[in-house]
């Protein structure tokens, strides 16, 4: 990507430039844009402006750091499994991942020699804003919706911003249901996140919405990670790593291990997973089971399960009559840079919505209190130890919540974020 210079402006950016935007800088990303800490051997480490011992998040973490430091007023990130939402939450910004396929992705190249990867066809990245306010995200998204998609590709038609949908959620709140999921058993949240969730819930009730409990099973949350792992491991990550090695770039330790494990035979793989379980690391074993390169038939069955799971959740959502859903983003705040690989897959609350192509945004609700620098769960494994280190010394760091909507109802998600923003200001 260093040697292959773009020959034209991507159509995604053209409406932004036409509105008078002046591009200034590109933000740092993790190696291969896979990860939630922006570290690579070319540009180094991105540090959180609020605490330079902690991460900005990723993969759009460099952009979040630039916006939070007020080097730029707004940035364009890309999100599949949380790459806008995590950086925004970790730095106290508003971030928004639109519906995948809602807008053009021409010019958003995979980190491959040919700039294309078949695996990403199953879970496209969505370009979206990281900004200081919900209103900034709304205005920016309106610009993104002005692209002439049908002139650039036969696979996508322009979908303009639906102002009537946006206003309907703000102007007619009576009877509108907002789903609420405070926690999933496999990834307990900290006291600070629990307080943030309840503050957001109360704000939405005060704003006139009906907030109801909604059920996503623990297994469904975990399967979101499994589906992401399986798609990435079957061709996508491996080919990116080979391209990097061909061009002389060293792989990071985490990527070396992921590449190694994804190509293990069934017997050594079973032995490693069994050993992890014997050591009491059941959560870690669970996250690795689908990190493997699959053959064609196995992959087809795997993808069938993916679409079946998405259809089941979509059906239950419709039956519940939800306008949007509120969940945590992460179990606590931005985590320490030291031993960052320990926090590699603690994102159950994020992956599923990328797999379903549902739009999702994050909003900063509060900051960690000194009395909330604690974390407890019943697993007592290395994830528990990592989260305890994350909580220690985290007072003052931002805590955000996530708002999700159905595919192609991006305007409704932005409207709920706006209502939450307005009410939180009133409740202060």
């Amino acid at each position: 990507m260093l040697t292959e210079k773009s020959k034209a402006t991507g159509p995604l950016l053209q409406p932004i430039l036409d509105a008078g935007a002046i591009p200034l800088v590109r933000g740092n990303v993790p190696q291969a844009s896979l990860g939630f800490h922006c570290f690579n051997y070319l540009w180094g480490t991105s540090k959180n402006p609020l605490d330079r011992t902690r991460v900005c998040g990723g993969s759009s973490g460099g952009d979040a750091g630039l916006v939070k430091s007020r080097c730029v007023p707004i940035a364009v990130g890309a999100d599949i499994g949380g790459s806008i939402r995590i950086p925004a939450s970790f730095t106290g910004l508003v971030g928004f991942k639109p519906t995948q396929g809602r807008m053009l992705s021409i010019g958003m190249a995979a980190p491959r020699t040919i700039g294309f990867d078949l695996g990403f066809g199953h879970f496209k990245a969505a370009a979206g804003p990281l900004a200081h306010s919900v209103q900034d995200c709304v205005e920016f998204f309106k610009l993104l919706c002005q692209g002439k998609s049908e002139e650039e590709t036969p696979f996508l038609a322009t979908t303009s911003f639906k102002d009537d949908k946006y206003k309907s959620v703000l102007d007619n709140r009576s009877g509108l249901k907002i789903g609420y999921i405070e926690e999933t058993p496999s990834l307990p949240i900290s006291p600070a996140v629990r307080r943030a969730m309840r503050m957001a819930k109360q704000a939405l009730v005060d704003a006139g919405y009906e907030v109801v409990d909604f059920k996503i099973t623990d297994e469904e949350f975990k399967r979101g990670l499994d589906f992401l792992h399986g798609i990435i491991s079957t061709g996508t990550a491996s080919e990116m790593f080979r391209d990097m090695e061909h061009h002389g770039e060293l792989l990071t330790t985490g990527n070396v291990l992921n590449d190694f494990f994804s190509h293990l035979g069934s017997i050594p793989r079973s032995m490693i997973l069994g050993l992890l379980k014997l050591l009491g690391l059941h959560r870690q074993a669970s996250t690795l089971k689908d990190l493997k390169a699959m053959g064609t038939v196995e992959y087809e069955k795997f993808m069938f399960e993916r679409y079946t799971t998405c259809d089941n959740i979509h059906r239950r959502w419709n039956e519940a009559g939800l306008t949007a859903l509120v969940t945590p983003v992460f179990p606590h705040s931005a985590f320490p840079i030291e031993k960052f690989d320990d926090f590699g897959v603690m994102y159950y609350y994020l992956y599923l919505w990328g797999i379903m192509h549902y739009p999702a945004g994050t909003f900063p609700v509060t900051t960690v209190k000194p009395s909330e620098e604690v974390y407890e769960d019943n697993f007592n494994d290395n994830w528990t130890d990592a989260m305890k280190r994350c909580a220690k010394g985290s007072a003052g760091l931002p805590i955000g919540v996530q708002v999700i909507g159905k595919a192609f109802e991006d305007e409704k998600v932005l409207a709920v974020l706006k209502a939450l923003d307005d009410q939180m200001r009133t409740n202060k």
Side-chain angles (χ1 to χ4, degrees), residues 28 36 72 87 90 100 115 137 140 157 160 167 188 192 245 268 284 310 324 331 354 360 366 373 421:
N28 197 20
F36 293 107
V72 293
F90 281 5
Q100 283 104 310
C137 287
F140 200 78
S160 59
K167 290 181 178 178
E245 290 175 333
Q284 291 74 5
C310 293
T366 187
E373 291 186 349
D421 186 9

Side-chain angles (χ1 to χ4, degrees), residues 349-370:
Y349 300 107
L350 298 168
Y351 291 127
L352 191 58
W353 314 117
I355 290 294
M356 293 186 67
H357 290 189
Y358 273 20
T362 55
F363 178 79
V365 171
T366 187
T367 57
V368 180
K369 295 179 178 180

